[in-house]
Each structure stands twice: as C-alpha cells, then as structure tokens.
Amino acid sequence: MSNDPENTLPDRGTSLMDYPRGKLITCLVPDNGMAVMLIVALKERHQLLTADFHRCRGYGGAREPGGTSGDWGCGTPMCVVTVVVGDDRAEEVFEFLGAMVSSRLRGGNAIIHQGRLSHVTRFELPVGVPDEQEK
Amino acid sequence: MTTSERTITFLTDVQLITCIVQSGLGDIIVKAAREAGAQGATIFFARGSGVRERLGVLGVAVEVEKEVVNIVVASDQMEAVFDHVYLTGQLDTPGMGFMYVTPLEKAATYIPKEVVDRLEQ
Amino acid sequence: MNRGNRLYSSFGGVSIVSRHVSYNLLSPRIRRDIKGRIVPYVAPEVKLNFKDGYRLLKSYVANRFWGPFKVVVPVAVFLVVFQSIFLQPPVRDLGNMALGVCAVVVGLMLLLEGLRMGVSPMGEILGNTLPKKWPMMGVLPVVFMLGLGSALTEPTWRVLLNSGDRVTAEATPYLYALLHGWSEWLILVSGISVGLAWVLATLQWFHGWHLKPVIMSAAVPPFVLTVLAWFFPHVKEVAALAWDMGALVLGPVGMTVMLALGRGMVSAVGRGNETAQGLGMIALAAMLPVTGVLGLAFIMVASVPVSSIVADAAVIGTQIIEPPWYAVTPWIELGLAVGAVVPLMIFIMLLFRFILQEQVRGVGILVYGVVLSIPGLILLNVGMTLSLSYSGSELHSWLITRLSPAGVDGTVSRFAPGVEVAGIFVLAWVIGFAATLAEPGLNILGSHVERHSHGVLRARTLRFPVAFGAGCSSVAGVGILLPGLDPVAFLLPLWLLLLLLTWMAPEGWIAMAWDSGGVIPGPVTVPLMLALGTGLGGGMLGLGLFALMALGSILALLLVGLWGRGTIGWSEIS
C-alpha cells in the first residue's frame, strides 16, 4: 500500500502467532444467581479463571414448549457468562456448561454458543493465591 | 460418568449479530430483528468513547451511553436481519451506531422434543 | 477501494446498494520510533461547522428540555385555570408566572444534567476509591461527614422551618420551641441521624446484608416512638414534624451523592450478585431522622417545662424582624443553592486531592456538571418562588378564607361549598401527581434503576406508580385535614401495612419502593404542598402531609411489585 519506511513493521521478538487459538463460550442464563454458580463451577471443576459475567435484559426465546415466543414486551433480567478456553478443552467445557444449564432450567430460556478466537493471551494466577473470602 | 440419558442437541449454522446504538434505541433494533425473523435478543448498557474526546467543548453534547444488542440468528437469516436492522436503525446516519457479525461454531439451547423429532425423520 | 457494487435486495421500496470497503483503508496509520515502540496516536480534533454544531447542541438541549417542560407547564396551566375559576381576584401576575415557569423548566433541566454529569460520577468515583484505599474505620467517618453535610445543606426542609411563624406557643408549645429556639437542635439531630444512616448504609454495602431485615428493623423505632408520643401532652404534634423531617431531609443533591456512593462501593467491594445495586438506603436516611427528632422531643419534655416556652414566646412574639437583604428573593435562593452543592463537592474534591491522592480522569466534564447544577438549583428555586409557590400562597390565603365559617374578608363564594371542596381535591391530586413527576430526585432514582436493571425496569415504570401514589395520598391528606383530623393517626396504620407488604415483596422491589418514598418530596412538591397543608391545617401547618405522600408512593410501588410478580423484571429474583 505505502512504501513509507516508517510504516513498515519492525521485526520483534514476539509475534501474534505466539498466542494460541481459543474459543469464546457465551452462556445466557436467567438472572437468578446461576451466573455466579457457573463461574464458581468453572473454576473448581475446570480450573478456568477466565470466566466473567454481566447483566442484560433478554427478549424472546422459546420459553414454552412448542417454541412459541415468550414475551417480547419489557424484557427479562438475564446474565451473560463468557469464558475463554483453549482449543483443546472447548468441547469438554461447552458440554459441561450445556449440561449445567439444561439440567437446571425448566423451559429453555437459556442459550449457549461458542465462537472461534484467533489469538488468546494466557491468564494464570501465581500459585498460592488464596481464594476470595466470602464475608 | 453420568448414567442419566441426557443428550445435547448442537445447533450449527448460527451467527451472532451485535449492534451498538445510542441508549434508548435498543428496542427499535430488537423489534426490527424480530420482524426479520430473529427469535431472541439481549441488550446491555455500555459507555462508548471516541467522539467526545475529539470534539472539545462541544463534547459534552455527545451521548456516551450506549446499548449493545446481541442477536443470535441462523446463517440463512443473517443477511435479512442485518439489512433490516441496519435500515430500521438508520445506521447510515452519522453517530447512530455500528454493527457486526460473529460466526459461531455451535450453539445449544432448549429445543422442544417434537421439533427435534420432526427434524430427525 | 470498492470491491464491487451490487444491487442485492430491496427494502420497503428502497433498493439497497451494497459496497465493500476494507477497514484497513479507514483506520489511522500508526508510527513507531527507532526502538519499535508505538508512537501514541492522537486523533485529530473534529472540527464541526456551525450547522453541525447547532444540530448537535439542539438535540442535546431538546432531549433534556422536553421532559421537565411536559410536566411543569401543565401544572402551571392548571393552577392558572384553577385560580381563575375559584379565586377572586383570579390571577394577579401572569407575566411573573410565565417567567417563573420558564425558570423552573430550565432550572430542572440544568439541575438534572448537572447531577448526572457531575455530582453523580463524583460520588461514584469516591465510593469506588475509598474502600480500596482505606480500611473500614477510615471510610465510616468520611461517609458520616458526607451524610451530615448533605443534610445540613439541604435547602428543601428549610421551607418547613420558615413557615414556623404560623405556629403558636400556647397551642403547641414543643412544636413551637423546635421551630424557633430549638431549631438548631432540630437541624443538628436530623443531620446526625442522616450521617448515621449513611454509616449504616455503608456497612450494608460492605457486608451485603439483606435489605428486608435492615429496613424493617429501622422501621420499628419511629412507630414505637410515635405511639409513645400519643401519651404525652403536646409531643403528639411534634411527631408530625418528625415524620415530615424524615421525608424532607434528603434532597436531590444528597440523594444523588448517596446513590452514587452506594453504586461505587458495591462495585468496589461487592461480589456481583447484589440485586439492589446500592438501593434501599435512602429510606434509612429518612427513617433515622424520624427517630432522632422524636427522641429530641422526649428530651425536651424531660428538660423544658411548657410554661417557660410560652413565657419565652411571649417575649419574642412582640418583635417583628425585618429580613436582611440576604434573606429575600433571589439572594436567599442563591445562597441555598450554592450551599447545597459547593461545600459537598469541595469536600469530595479535597478528599481526592490531598487524602486519597488520586488522579481523576475527565475532571472537565465533572466540573461542568457540578457548575451546571448550581444555576439549575438557583433557577429552580427562584422560578418556584415566582410562579408555583406564588400561586400556592394565593391558594393558601384563599383556603383560609374559604374554610373559616364566616369568611374572613366577608366575601361570599360564587359556588356551592361542595364544588369548592371538590376543587380542592382535584387540586391536591394534580399537585401530588404532577409535581412528583417533576421531582429531580425521582428522575435520578429512575435513571439509576433503569441503568442497573439494563432497561428491564424503565424510569417510567418507577415514576408513574410513585406519582400516582403521591397523588392519591395527597388527596387522602386533604380528606384528613379538611375535617381537622390528625395525619399522624393515619400514618401509623399505613406504616404497619407497608411493613406487611415489605415482608411479602421481593427484595429488589422493596429497595426501590422505600427509596422512592425518601426522594419525593423535593424542591418542586414542597412549596406547593406546604401551601396546601398550611392552608388546610391551620395551627398544625398540615404537618404530616409530606410523610403521607412518601408513604403513599411506597405503598403504590410495593403494590405494583407484588401485582407484577413474575411478569416484571426483578421479581424473578428471590
């Protein structure tokens, strides 16, 4: 595009290729405390520290059997749990979350999906960091 | 190993449309998406940045409160929903918003048994 | 640049041309220095031409203007119509009225914007920083000071004190004493109670205590003390004052700081599963002063005999004091407005600068917000004096004339008495409902709720039931005051009913409901309701009316919460 020498990337020690690929698993659940439970479960069973959640309002979804749309009116309070996992463990974590979610919900109202991430940084805590204490 | 008979139905050909608009316009986007056949959407609030800093004193007049709308759609539907949302939300006006599509590898949700049975026939 | 144009679909008769542009071509080029580090890219300032700048400002101002406009103007029109029907002479000064209404609308607009852009973020940053930097023992005194300061500088309830000259020492000695000789004590006790409430609130945010037990146990002392007050001569009247102080002591500025502080602290120390997001504690700041003032009344009973109050009043009563220049419009409003915002903000600023040594980003916009809220409060108060309270005071004298059996000035009404009474009820409804909708505190609370439920609960879901409840209870208040009954007698059963509903309602809702009771009455409702109350209530000033309004709105919101269980947002959370 441009032959301006200042714009060309200099050689560096690390390149983006050093970061592994990964998956972003997103889990949409009702705002009833389940999000926190999932994050704790991910940490305890899968040693995953990369889970997060935020609140949102959700519309629609197959709430009743038969797939008729639920209420599209004012929206319901929901939580979005996101977790980043390495390629190798994505399958296992997805199935775990899927089972957790479906076994605790009566009529749907939850969805879980997985997307590809081209670069993921490693996130590890030093060994021996104590857990956050429940006050 | 669990002994219970649980099967997970994976959905493929799923895409995620994300649309970031000014606060208060999220419902318009959801309505448009529903009209174009989307079955669900979620909205959360966020704060944007980028324009206020560049406008100087007039920056105070820029709304930084945004709504982020996430819509899961089938890939066949994606283009229709995308266009309809884009046009209904008037994203071709300056400062209205921004949208993008993320391909998803798979998804899972509650699918009524009769629907699964019908598809397997 | 374009990788092919094609016509690929049509939408409502509009054909769509799609075009593909690489974002690589639109993003800025970054530069690197010799060592390969990125030279920070600074986006060039956007230069708006006059027309675009105008359009931007126009929509900015218009979005904020119409909200207050749509509420205030109908109230003003109603008052003018009401006066021209019932009052003789009808409306004295339409020009001033119009000017005042404009000032109120602009003032509300500026105040709301100032609270949102300046006061609220500052409170939030403080709430977020304090617990990270300091241990609990350091945080609590600061919070106490903030609460005390916010109560002492609150302009709204001074209106109540200023109307104290209608009280006589013979009929209601303790009330008289509290509004005159003991008024410093009244102020101090209320302020300290609010400070303590903020301290308690901080503990709740830290420990994530359940709201229900906190609110319900704070609700017991006011009830018990009021029942006790019934058995002491002349303390009963003080009870009404105490309840009103509770409703009034937290104004828009104070509640904004408190709400923001709570939001900041919850986000700093919370564990993410809090449903109420710092809500529920404004109610505490309303309930503790009730207890405090009633306690003060009992101390007075023990220490000061009635006879000495009457004797003192006889001496003071003969003097007529000319108000100094700083106590007349507009200087008094200016002083109160500056006092309500500036000391609190300077305190917070100093905390940041010298004690926390924290650099705050975006100071410009914070200062802009704080600065905006000062003319906002001034305009609001001056406008209220010019327009709504002015017509309120005319209503007041009309009410007094009409209600005395013979008619003080000897005029005979053009209407049958029933029509006038009906008129008063309609008036009470409009003032209660519409003025509540205009309350800045309720607006702030509404947007807080909307933001933290991510839009599941809208500001209007909160505001309309609250205003409806306030309207109903002001009608009920008129119904109580007209036959000369005591509002306090009605507060107590209502209080019990509220406690019962609180016990049943979901936690997120009770926080909202009780808070809404604490934020209305504010600067818009108080002057109007005070005119109504003092007009109808005679020597008792109609005290208890504000508390009744607050309780009515709590009741309405709790009922909405219970009725909408399962259908409306937060009720799903148990």
Side-chain angles (χ1 to χ4, degrees):
Chain A
M1 213 135 323
S2 159
N3 293 324
D4 186 353
E6 276 181 61
N7 284 335
T8 52
L9 277 173
D11 285 335
R12 285 179 302 153
T14 57
S15 86
L16 282 176
M17 294 306 125
D18 291 353
Y19 298 115
R21 286 168 183 280
K23 307 281 187 205
L24 177 71
I25 301 178
T26 307
C27 204
L28 186 67
V29 292
D31 185 4
N32 55 6
M34 195 159 167
V36 178
M37 195 197 74
L38 287 180
I39 287 177
V40 171
L42 282 171
K43 186 173 153 236
E44 285 176 355
R45 294 224 202 156
H46 295 266
Q47 288 75 49
L48 284 169
L49 303 170
T50 46
D52 254 317
F53 89 97
H54 61 261
R55 293 200 162 82
C56 70
R57 70 178 193 268
Y59 292 91
R63 299 188 100 198
E64 288 98 41
T68 55
S69 71
D71 70 278
W72 281 85
C74 58
T76 47
M78 304 199 84
C79 280
V80 180
V81 181
T82 57
V83 59
V84 174
V85 290
D87 266 352
D88 46 337
R89 299 172 65 194
E91 196 79 2
E92 163 200 1
V93 173
F94 189 91
E95 272 169 32
F96 168 72
L97 285 175
M100 287 280 280
V101 167
S102 63
S103 65
R104 280 172 177 77
L105 290 176
R106 285 184 298 273
N109 207 10
I111 188 168
I112 166 170
H113 54 75
Q114 171 183 317
R116 197 176 62 83
L117 300 173
S118 58
H119 303 92
V120 176
T121 58
R122 288 182 192 85
F123 181 72
E124 280 152 4
L125 289 178
V127 183
V129 173
D131 280 355
E132 198 175 330
Q133 290 298 311
E134 249 337 274
K135 275 172 233 162
Chain B
M1 281 289 114
T2 52
T3 49
S4 65
E5 291 259 316
R6 281 207 98 93
T7 51
I8 300 185
T9 314
F10 291 112
L11 291 169
T12 52
D13 298 324
V14 188
Q15 296 195 317
L16 178 71
I17 297 178
T18 306
C19 183
I20 301 153
V21 287
Q22 283 178 40
S23 182
L25 301 179
D27 285 345
I28 297 171
I29 301 298
V30 172
K31 188 165 171 283
R34 181 179 28 158
E35 282 166 2
Q39 282 177 299
T42 60
I43 301 181
F44 60 92
F45 287 2
R47 278 172 70 87
S49 78
V51 184
R52 181 179 266 187
E53 298 77 16
R54 295 174 59 185
L55 269 177
V57 180
L58 271 181
V60 294
V62 175
E63 309 274 355
V64 290
E65 299 288 324
K66 306 285 178 201
E67 279 183 79
V68 182
V69 188
N70 277 313
I71 310 154
V72 173
V73 291
S75 51
D76 288 348
Q77 255 183 338
M78 187 275 285
E79 228 161 80
V81 175
F82 194 91
D83 288 353
H84 195 61
V85 165
Y86 184 89
L87 293 168
T88 317
Q90 293 178 318
L91 297 195
D92 46 356
T93 331
M96 279 313 264
F98 181 60
M99 65 191 293
Y100 55 87
V101 181
T102 317
L104 298 177
E105 291 179 336
K106 58 186 170 187
T109 185
Y110 169 77
I111 301 168
K113 196 172 176 306
E114 57 270 26
V115 175
V116 182
D117 291 345
R118 179 155 46 85
L119 289 172
E120 280 175 353
Q121 277 163 17
Chain C
M1 193 178 279
N2 296 347
R3 288 203 283 118
N5 298 352
R6 70 193 165 100
L7 185 76
Y8 73 99
S9 65
S10 83
F11 168 77
V14 187
S15 51
I16 301 157
V17 178
S18 88
R19 208 162 40 183
H20 291 257
V21 177
S22 165
Y23 188 39
N24 288 331
L25 300 173
L26 296 175
S27 56
R29 306 250 138 251
I30 52 156
R31 292 178 185 278
R32 291 175 186 276
D33 59 17
I34 311 155
K35 290 176 183 161
R37 287 173 305 205
I38 287 175
V39 179
Y41 170 76
V42 182
E45 205 161 283
V46 179
K47 286 270 178 281
L48 285 183
N49 59 29
F50 182 76
K51 198 177 148 209
D52 284 340
Y54 168 76
R55 273 171 57 194
L56 187 69
L57 274 181
K58 194 183 133 200
S59 71
Y60 174 70
V61 174
N63 284 345
R64 283 151 185 78
F65 179 80
W66 290 113
F69 182 87
K70 278 185 209 152
V71 185
V72 173
V73 171
V75 182
V77 170
F78 173 82
L79 283 177
V80 170
V81 171
F82 185 88
Q83 290 184 34
S84 50
I85 292 175
F86 287 101
L87 271 67
Q88 284 171 326
V91 186
R92 300 233 171 99
D93 199 342
L94 265 179
N96 260 355
M97 181 97 181
L99 203 67
V101 168
C102 289
V104 170
V105 172
V106 174
L108 271 174
M109 176 178 95
L110 295 181
L111 177 63
L112 276 174
E113 186 66 4
L115 291 177
R116 283 206 185 109
M117 303 269 267
V119 177
S120 179
M122 269 177 84
E124 193 168 346
I125 300 169
L126 183 68
N128 202 299
T129 325
L130 262 185
K132 287 180 187 160
K133 289 238 164 177
W134 281 359
M136 180 76 110
M137 281 305 113
V139 175
L140 293 183
V142 172
V143 170
F144 178 79
M145 292 296 292
L146 272 175
L148 181 68
S150 80
L152 295 189
T153 56
E154 174 51 44
T156 314
W157 53 272
R158 282 169 200 277
V159 184
L160 199 68
L161 290 190
N162 290 342
S163 62
D165 48 357
R166 297 195 184 106
V167 177
T168 58
E170 286 77 20
T172 53
Y174 289 122
L175 185 63
Y176 176 86
L178 272 179
L179 292 176
H180 293 87
W182 283 62
S183 61
E184 284 85 12
W185 283 103
L186 178 72
I187 295 169
L188 198 64
V189 166
S190 310
I192 291 175
S193 310
V194 173
L196 286 178
W198 284 40
V199 167
L200 261 177
T202 310
L203 291 171
Q204 195 268 338
W205 295 325
F206 267 81
H207 295 286
W209 292 334
H210 283 289
L211 281 170
K212 245 181 230 190
V214 174
I215 287 181
M216 290 184 73
S217 49
V220 172
F223 183 82
V224 173
L225 285 178
T226 309
V227 173
L228 259 181
W230 221 262
F231 298 104
F232 287 85
H234 302 307
V235 186
K236 203 175 87 176
E237 298 101 38
V238 180
L241 173 73
W243 285 80
D244 274 2
M245 281 304 277
L248 292 178
V249 80
L250 210 57
V253 180
M255 65 79 57
T256 308
V257 175
M258 191 180 191
L259 210 57
L261 204 65
R263 199 158 62 208
M265 287 204 186
V266 168
S267 77
V269 299
R271 282 169 303 284
N273 45 8
E274 287 82 2
T275 51
Q277 302 278 5
L279 282 175
M281 291 294 114
I282 292 171
L284 220 57
M287 285 193 265
L288 258 54
V290 181
T291 316
V293 173
L294 276 168
L296 180 67
F298 281 110
I299 293 173
M300 282 177 71
V301 172
S303 58
V304 189
V306 173
S307 54
S308 77
I309 296 174
V310 177
D312 286 352
V315 178
I316 299 166
T318 51
Q319 307 164 353
I320 295 165
I321 308 156
E322 185 72 19
W325 65 270
Y326 55 80
V328 292
T329 307
W331 303 111
I332 177 95
E333 282 88 355
L334 194 130
L336 286 177
V338 171
V341 181
V342 174
L344 266 185
M345 291 301 124
I346 287 182
F347 181 60
I348 296 182
M349 278 287 190
L350 288 179
L351 267 178
F352 273 117
R353 188 106 191 107
F354 294 109
I355 300 174
L356 295 171
Q357 310 222 319
E358 188 84 357
Q359 205 65 43
V360 184
R361 287 188 302 129
V363 177
I365 240 161
L366 293 183
V367 171
Y368 164 77
V370 172
V371 168
L372 214 57
S373 59
I374 297 168
L377 262 178
I378 296 173
L379 276 176
L380 172 60
N381 288 333
V382 172
M384 285 303 292
T385 314
L386 274 181
S387 60
L388 302 186
S389 349
Y390 176 69
S391 84
S393 66
E394 291 198 338
L395 282 174
H396 166 81
S397 43
W398 172 72
L399 285 172
I400 290 187
T401 320
R402 280 288 148 259
L403 292 174
S404 55
V408 174
D409 51 2
T411 53
V412 184
S413 171
R414 287 176 293 168
F415 304 99
V419 178
E420 283 195 329
V421 170
I424 295 173
F425 276 111
V426 174
L427 179 74
W429 165 264
V430 170
I431 291 179
F433 179 77
T436 302
L437 274 185
E439 273 305 331
L442 190 60
N443 276 282
I444 295 285
L445 187 68
S447 43
H448 172 94
V449 165
E450 182 163 327
R451 189 170 145 201
H452 285 278
S453 68
H454 285 277
V456 174
L457 292 168
R458 297 303 162 88
R460 59 172 185 271
T461 323
L462 180 79
R463 284 170 64 207
F464 278 95
V466 168
F468 185 81
C472 288
S473 52
S474 63
V475 169
V478 169
I480 291 164
L481 289 176
L482 266 181
L485 298 171
D486 187 354
V488 179
F490 294 85
L491 287 178
L492 292 178
L494 196 57
W495 195 250
L496 283 180
L497 176 65
L498 286 183
L499 287 186
L500 177 73
L501 290 177
T502 303
W503 181 61
M504 289 158 64
E507 183 129 338
W509 269 101
I510 55 174
M512 252 172 35
W514 284 89
D515 275 4
S516 72
V519 299
I520 63 154
V524 184
T525 34
V526 167
L528 288 171
M529 290 302 282
L530 203 67
L532 204 63
T534 48
L536 293 168
M540 270 302 297
L541 299 177
L543 283 177
L545 209 56
F546 295 118
L548 205 64
M549 256 177 97
L551 297 200
S553 64
I554 299 175
L555 179 68
L557 213 52
L558 280 176
L559 286 177
V560 169
L562 283 170
W563 169 73
R565 200 184 259 273
T567 59
I568 300 177
W570 279 357
S571 52
E572 284 192 4
I573 308 155
S574 50

